[in-house]
Structure formats: C-alpha cells, structure tokens
Amino acid sequence: MRTRVMATLIVAAVAACASEAGAQSWSFPGLANAEFNAITPGGPPPPRDLTGAWDPGQAGIAGGENYFSGRTVAPFTARGKEMVARNQPGHGPFSAKVFEGNDPLTTRGDPSGFPRIVNYEFRPIRIVHTPNAVLMLYSFNQTWRIIWTDGRKPPEDPDPRWFGYSVGRWENDTTFIVDTVGMTDRTWVDSGGFPHSEGLRVQERYQRTGVNVIELTVTIDDPEIYTKPWISRDRMPLKRLPDNTDFLEQVYAASEVTGYKEDIAAKTKTQ
Amino acid sequence: MSKRILAAAVIAAALLLSRAPALAHHGAATFDTVGEITIKGTVTEWVWSNPHSILRLDVKGDDGTVKKWSVATANIADLSKRGWSRRLFKPGDEVTVLIQPAKSGEPVGMIRNVTLADGKKFQ
C-alpha cells in the first residue's frame, strides 16, 4: 500500500513538473523523457483546435539510435536508387563516414524544408489558428509554415519551394488533414538521405486524442522515387506544454555547421 | 517487497532514460574512433553551437609539449536538457575529458563526459 502511495506521489510530481515545464521562463529546450512519458491524453479535446505549444519529444528528434522510430520506407524505383546513391547521410541505413557527409542541412546549413522539418529535429512547435489558416511555428531553425484552410486547392504546376504549398481541412472534430505539394528536390525527406522528386505529395494527419496529445502520421507519396507510399511518422505523439512556454532557439546556422565540418569532421579522415 | 523493488526499478529506468546522453549526434559507425581515452587540459574556448558544440583545450604531454585538442559533443538543445550551458566552461578552466578520439590520429574526438575541477561531471 505504502509503495503504491509513493509511486503515485512520484508520478504526480513528474506530471506537475511537466505541466509547469517552461512556464514563465525562457528558452525551454524540450521535455526530458520521464516528463514526456508522464503526460497523458487527459480529457476530451476542444473541437477543431490544435492551438498551443507542443513537444514531439525524443522521437521527434530522430537522430542516432532514434532514427528508425516510426519509419517503414518503401522500396526505391530505378530513379530512386540513382538519387539515393548520391547522398551521404549521418543517420540511418546509408550512414556515411562523417568526413564524407553531404547532408544539405547539417553540412551546408540549407533549410530543412518540408517534410524534413517534421521528420528530423522536430523540436517543440507552436500552433496558431487564424480565420483562414493554421500556422505551424517550429522552434527548430525558427521556421514557420502556413497551412491554408480557406478552401483553396493545391497549385497545379507550382514552382518548387523549400516548404512546398500546404492546404488543410478538418476530417472530423479531432482530425486535421494537411496536403502539401511543390517541394524542391534539393531537400531530403529526413536525415537518412532518403531523396524525393518535385512530384512528391505529403499528407499529414493531426489527430487530437485528448486535451494534452496530438498524434501525427505523415505519408510520403512519390511514385518517381518510391514504388509505393510509405509512412515516415506513425501516430507520433506531440504532448502539450504550457501555452506561455518560450522555446530555445535551436538554429543550425551555416557558419556553425561548416565550422564543425572543418574543425572536427574533416580531421577524422583516415588514409 | 517485490512491488517496492519493481517500483524502484521502474523509477530508476525512467530516470536513466531521461538522463541518457543522446550519444553522438551521428552514429558511432560514422565517426571512426579508437576506444576511449582521458585527456586533462586547460580550456581555451567553448563553442556553444549546432549541430555540435565544441570544447577546445590545451593538453600538455609528458614531454612538456602542448597539443591543441578540439572535441565535440551534442547540440545546444540536447545539452540544455542535460544541464550544460553556454557558461559551463571558460578559458583557463582545468577539465578532465573522457573522449573517443578519431582514428585518424588528429587531436579531435567526441566527448563522453567532462569533469570540472570541483569534481562535477557532465555527460
């Protein structure tokens, strides 16, 4: 009995920590695993509302040993094989030696682009609703996306952009669907060097399972590169932070990433 | 009693998980290293940056010559979660660093942990 009381108190203390995390302070870096795990869905969510500060936790970062979290990559087409052979990533099944790396984000300081922004270094995010759009404000690289909800259709023949063109709609009171097209093929799908063409179409499903949790599923559909659609995020939970959480500025500046490349990575080369 | 042990194990596991350093940003396979060594030296610069922070230090060898090491660790968000900060080191600080040195033989490596002069350890 005493054990149960003690365990309950500890769980409550961890939960209290999580709910207070970052409140009225600056530069919150994200929840520790125990804090993240202690947050439960809670009561029913408000309808058609993703407003708030959210943390995808360790799975969002998806580096190193967390790389495979929620990924089931489809086989490549011939064109896909040709494209992936050029990439020298730092993570995943095609990991290269660090001095050979050519990750556009971590060796040159290019933007993550979309969908990489939700597939790697997905750190705390703020979601804002406006009358005709949903704004996604990412703490990683201080980057934002506008998801138009004013009924417009995706563009037919768009000039490729780093973050593409996104439209959103509510499938029901708890599920928000985002369709995105028109991404430049200069970006990778994630940190594993998985390529995409400019014909890539991505669908994000944000399912709010409770007042404190949104589950995100991301589907990659690029017939030029992959033989079938595949899931890069499978019901990945985003957990709610206090609304007034100020996020750490987690920017990969070009001068810093190239500094690491020259100072450390280049010197690891063996003959 | 077994309940108590189980509860303690669960809590310990939770704490360990929350504290576990996200090792290197890049998998060990991508950074050719040879085992682990400990170096002791004087901090010359602490670069708080992404995707890796870098600690530079002067390490005096047995023959009195000084070698300039640059050793890397995680990004500022992951380090912040583990209690590191921009002000953790300043030039002149004496530190002991457990590193995985590069196989190339150059004075670079990845940090496993750092012990400050007062005995506090960061990983």
Side-chain angles (χ1 to χ4, degrees):
Chain A
M1 183 60 187
R2 213 173 57 181
T3 307
R4 190 174 297 173
V5 171
M6 196 173 87
T8 308
L9 282 174
I10 287 168
V11 169
V14 170
C17 247
S19 66
E20 291 305 312
Q24 292 189 335
S25 62
W26 297 97
S27 294
F28 179 63
L31 296 164
N33 285 348
E35 296 168 336
F36 182 87
N37 293 337
I39 298 175
T40 58
R48 299 180 182 235
D49 189 4
L50 302 177
T51 302
W54 302 91
D55 190 345
Q58 199 65 32
I61 298 164
E65 59 272 31
N66 295 306
Y67 173 75
F68 284 103
S69 178
R71 282 172 169 76
T72 50
V73 184
F76 288 112
T77 61
R79 172 77 178 141
K81 284 179 192 162
E82 192 184 306
M83 280 186 78
V84 76
R86 302 173 191 165
N87 297 343
Q88 302 284 330
H91 301 140
F94 309 118
S95 284
K97 301 287 188 195
V98 68
F99 61 83
E100 296 169 332
N102 65 2
D103 183 327
L105 171 69
T106 64
T107 69
R108 294 202 294 271
D110 277 0
S112 292
F114 181 81
R116 185 166 177 173
I117 192 72
V118 292
N119 284 333
Y120 172 68
E121 284 289 317
F122 190 3
R123 303 269 177 180
I125 177 177
R126 191 175 311 284
I127 303 179
V128 178
H129 286 250
T130 74
N132 52 18
V134 170
L135 313 182
M136 302 273 183
L137 311 178
Y138 300 89
S139 59
F140 181 69
N141 270 353
Q142 292 281 95
T143 295
W144 45 266
R145 291 169 64 210
I146 298 183
I147 317 297
W148 292 105
T149 53
D150 58 0
R152 74 180 71 189
K153 304 290 178 213
E156 292 287 338
D157 185 21
D159 284 339
R161 308 200 294 205
W162 292 105
F163 290 86
Y165 301 75
S166 300
V167 297
R169 63 192 158 82
W170 287 93
E171 186 176 81
N172 53 46
D173 278 353
T174 55
T175 309
F176 185 60
I177 309 286
V178 181
D179 290 297
T180 303
V181 299
M183 288 77 84
T184 173
D185 62 5
R186 287 181 289 173
T187 60
W188 293 356
V189 169
D190 64 6
S191 63
F194 286 92
H196 68 84
S197 75
E198 291 179 350
L200 169 67
R201 305 182 79 88
V202 179
Q203 184 166 89
E204 298 156 277
R205 291 177 68 86
Y206 293 86
Q207 183 162 20
R208 192 152 180 190
T209 59
V211 71
N212 296 323
V213 176
I214 298 171
E215 289 182 350
L216 170 61
T217 299
V218 179
T219 305
I220 306 295
D221 185 5
D222 190 350
E224 190 179 332
I225 305 298
Y226 303 97
T227 53
K228 57 182 181 182
W230 58 279
I231 306 276
S232 68
R233 293 295 199 186
D234 191 4
R235 299 186 67 179
M236 179 181 71
L238 280 61
K239 299 206 172 171
R240 191 159 187 202
L241 300 169
D243 288 345
N244 63 345
T245 304
D246 180 76
F247 299 149
L248 179 82
E249 187 183 76
Q250 172 73 347
V251 171
Y252 279 24
S255 59
E256 292 183 358
V257 302
T258 54
Y260 169 75
K261 192 177 174 183
E262 289 157 12
D263 273 3
I264 306 280
K267 293 175 184 166
T268 67
K269 186 172 182 179
T270 47
Q271 297 307 313
Chain B
M1 183 61 186
S2 64
K3 266 188 187 172
R4 185 174 300 176
I5 291 169
L6 185 70
V10 167
I11 290 160
L15 287 174
L16 275 176
L17 279 173
S18 69
R19 288 293 193 179
L23 288 180
H25 172 80
H26 297 282
T30 65
F31 194 105
D32 257 348
T33 59
V34 276
E36 292 181 348
I37 60 167
T38 298
I39 54 175
K40 288 184 181 184
T42 308
V43 172
T44 56
E45 190 180 13
W46 170 226
V47 185
W48 182 245
S49 66
N50 289 315
H52 298 276
S53 294
I54 301 170
L55 184 63
R56 297 190 212 286
L57 61 165
D58 285 348
V59 178
K60 196 181 275 187
D62 293 339
D63 61 358
T65 58
V66 172
K67 193 175 263 190
K68 293 188 173 300
W69 279 83
S70 292
V71 286
T73 180
N75 61 70
I76 66 170
D78 288 341
L79 289 175
S80 297
K81 286 187 189 181
R82 306 195 317 244
W84 298 53
S85 74
R86 179 186 292 279
R87 296 188 183 87
L88 187 57
F89 311 106
K90 61 181 188 306
D93 285 354
E94 297 296 322
V95 292
T96 304
V97 192
L98 180 66
I99 63 164
Q100 293 178 306
K103 207 175 185 176
S104 65
E106 293 286 329
V108 295
M110 296 303 284
I111 295 174
R112 301 289 294 166
N113 62 55
V114 182
T115 307
L116 307 183
D118 64 7
K120 282 186 190 151
K121 187 183 274 191
F122 290 83
Q123 56 184 11

